[in-house]
Amino acid sequence: MAALTNDQILDAIASMTVLEASELVKAMEEKFGVTAAVAVAAGPAAPAAAAEEQTEFTVTLDEVGGNKIAVIKAVRAITGLGLGDAKALVEGAPKALKEGVSKADADKIIADIAAAGGKASAK
């Protein structure tokens, strides 16, 4: 029997249905005495560690407050949106204002919204 290349094996697996691939995994687990669960269990631990060292934040407009016009102006300055889009965003609060911003930028945006009479948060 000629040995199969890695590409041939991958092509064969790619042509399988999900059910067939699942059965193949079970058969490999039994034959080699391993479980795929170990790799799956290690997966969730990595995002938890990344969450502790978060460097990018999403700033959300939580509440408009009493001065809607000032908040709309602040949202326009922060996002660069036109008047209609900024008004729609403010009226649809809670909504995300900016995504992927640094901690310093998130703090500045929150302060700008608070100065306008609104309430924002970073996640």
Side-chain angles (χ1 to χ4, degrees), residues 16-118:
M16 292 180 168
T17 66
V18 174
L19 180 60
E20 290 170 335
S22 174
E23 291 171 353
L24 174 64
V25 169
K26 288 178 187 174
M28 290 174 66
E29 287 175 342
E30 290 175 13
K31 178 163 182 99
F32 299 111
V34 297
T35 61
V38 174
V40 173
E52 293 172 16
E53 299 173 21
Q54 184 175 0
T55 58
E56 292 186 351
F57 297 86
T58 298
V59 180
T60 305
L61 175 65
D62 298 323
E63 295 178 21
V64 177
N67 196 351
K68 184 167 138 182
I69 293 172
V71 174
I72 291 171
K73 287 180 181 180
V75 167
R76 286 187 70 198
I78 292 164
T79 62
L81 293 173
L83 180 59
D85 292 334
K87 181 177 183 263
L89 191 148
V90 168
E91 290 175 345
K95 288 269 187 167
L97 289 176
K98 282 252 184 174
E99 295 179 357
V101 297
S102 68
K103 177 69 171 151
D105 289 343
D107 290 340
K108 182 179 181 332
I109 292 169
I110 291 170
D112 290 347
I113 294 294

